[in-house]
Amino acid sequence: MAKDPVRVLVTGAAGQIGYALVPMIARGIMLGADQPVILHMLDIPPAAEALNGVKMELIDAAFPLLKGVVATTDAVEGCTGVNVAVMVGGFPRKEGMERKDVMSKNVSIYKSQAAALEKHAAPNCKVLVVANPANTNALILKEFAPSIPEKNITCLTRLDHNRALGQVSERLSVPVSDVKNVIIWGNHSSSQYPDVNHASVKTSSGEKPVRELVKDDEWLNGEFITTVQQRGAAIIKARKLSSALSAASSACDHIRDWVLGTPEGTFVSMGVYSDGSYNVPAGLIYSFPVTCRNGEWSIVHGLPIDEASRKKMDLTAEELKEEKDLAYSCLS
């Protein structure tokens, strides 16, 4: 039996990440090779012409799974009936701008998009926020879309997770598919904590801890962490543009694992609504290790946390509390 199409919204669809993301969705990379999709692409009026160009290309690519394309600058039309929403659109920080300026712009964007999703999205819509500040944008969206279950509003830290896997794989010269269970704790910002204490690598003699194989704690506690934290800035420096292909690919990974489940014994990082686990203040959107099954994520419990990790986890939580306060001050 052919499946019914799933409606997937991508906001900011005419931008760099959107341009990389929509063909991946249309090819089945996000929801599976047998899942038809109808793409809803939303962008701001100045991008309408470019958005129409993306629609033309999607039609020209003749993707078998793509059962329809909605390209619009109207939030109501964009959000109507969507089952998955990937929120890529946001206001980027420009030179000379204060954090508060960027925050207030994004607060108003996410407030209005939340209202459209609240009224018009499908009842159990899953939301992934990609635009920065991702954790706090997701929190604002949650605030103004109260009927969307809090478990359905997440933010992207899978890009950082994948970057951490990539660094370990390069360091050990092993395929990245043999590395698993790194964790990104906290904020999708340079305060995040990439943690390898629970990560392992598949070897010919079974799974071995990353620390045991790398045999260089100085690198793992220093350069490895800063490389992952600063990777976005390094790509901007090299490409003169921000990460687009890797962001799009990790958004697909995030949704695919959430919808189709994580492999047995593997956990991934997702920015989710904190329930107080690992002494992270409840009410923040914070990145935790999770496993997924039947379309639901669950935080991985019971991992031992050493003192050095605790400090880093608290530091990034502190930054998220400050961001939350700043966002709420923009609302008043």
Side-chain angles (χ1 to χ4, degrees):
M1 282 286 289
K3 294 181 172 180
D4 289 334
V6 169
R7 290 181 181 270
V8 182
L9 166 67
V10 177
T11 71
Q16 287 255 2
I17 295 174
Y19 187 69
L21 178 59
V22 291
M24 294 182 187
I25 299 171
R27 273 206 186 280
I29 291 169
M30 179 179 276
L31 292 170
D34 61 346
Q35 178 58 66
V37 291
I38 296 170
L39 264 170
H40 287 227
M41 302 193 298
L42 177 66
D43 216 313
I44 52 175
E49 201 179 346
L51 187 65
N52 196 44
V54 179
K55 179 178 177 174
M56 288 154 70
E57 285 204 75
L58 284 167
I59 292 165
D60 294 354
F63 294 110
L65 290 171
L66 188 59
K67 300 303 178 192
V69 182
V70 176
T72 183
T73 59
D74 176 63
V76 171
E77 188 186 3
C79 292
T80 298
V82 298
N83 308 100
V84 175
V86 187
M87 315 301 282
V88 179
F91 193 88
R93 188 167 182 170
K94 295 181 175 166
E95 217 172 325
M97 282 184 79
E98 295 297 321
R99 267 178 81 201
K100 180 149 180 128
D101 304 329
V102 188
M103 187 67 82
S104 69
K105 294 260 194 229
N106 280 296
V107 161
S108 66
I109 292 168
Y110 277 81
K111 188 176 169 180
S112 70
Q113 292 187 345
L117 284 170
E118 167 76 9
K119 281 202 185 79
H120 305 286
N124 204 28
C125 180
K126 287 178 157 56
V127 182
L128 167 61
V129 177
V130 175
N132 287 323
N135 301 56
T136 302
N137 286 343
L139 201 58
I140 294 298
L141 193 141
K142 182 197 158 296
E143 196 68 35
F144 290 97
S147 73
I148 298 178
E150 61 191 30
K151 284 205 86 163
N152 282 23
I153 296 175
T154 63
C155 83
L156 188 71
T157 54
R158 183 59 174 268
L159 177 53
D160 309 296
H161 179 99
N162 287 350
R163 285 166 171 167
L165 292 175
Q167 289 302 306
V168 172
S169 130
E170 292 276 284
R171 181 76 178 193
L172 292 172
S173 303
V174 297
V176 73
S177 54
D178 288 349
V179 187
K180 68 176 193 184
N181 298 356
V182 297
I183 301 168
I184 302 298
W185 298 99
N187 198 1
H188 172 61
S189 76
S190 56
S191 78
Q192 62 172 265
Y193 170 40
D195 174 6
V196 295
N197 292 327
H198 314 281
S200 63
V201 179
K202 194 159 78 185
T203 71
S204 53
S205 51
E207 287 186 1
K208 292 278 188 343
V210 163
R211 278 201 186 272
E212 189 183 302
L213 293 172
V214 170
K215 296 191 185 67
D216 186 346
D217 281 351
E218 194 181 333
W219 181 76
L220 285 171
N221 299 339
E223 192 187 329
F224 162 76
I225 291 175
T226 52
T227 299
V228 176
Q229 288 172 335
Q230 307 289 340
R231 186 67 162 187
I235 286 169
I236 290 173
K237 193 169 176 222
R239 227 172 71 87
K240 312 295 176 267
L241 292 163
S242 56
S243 339
L245 161 156
S246 54
S249 180
S250 55
C252 287
D253 291 345
H254 175 112
I255 299 283
R256 188 187 61 240
D257 285 344
W258 189 4
V259 171
L260 301 176
T262 45
E264 194 61 43
T266 297
F267 45 79
V268 295
S269 305
M270 280 170 73
V272 299
Y273 195 63
S274 171
D275 59 358
S277 295
Y278 292 101
N279 295 332
V280 171
L284 295 176
I285 301 250
Y286 187 98
S287 182
F288 288 96
V290 303
T291 55
C292 307
R293 50 185 307 191
N294 304 326
E296 300 273 330
W297 55 263
S298 309
I299 293 173
V300 176
H301 288 290
L303 297 173
I305 303 296
D306 63 24
E307 201 180 330
S309 296
R310 182 74 260 166
K311 282 192 180 126
K312 291 185 175 74
M313 287 162 66
D314 290 345
L315 201 67
T316 188
E318 198 51 53
E319 182 182 63
L320 281 168
K321 276 197 299 210
E322 282 169 27
E323 270 188 24
K324 180 182 178 179
D325 293 344
L326 182 59
Y328 281 76
S329 74
C330 296
L331 286 171
S332 52

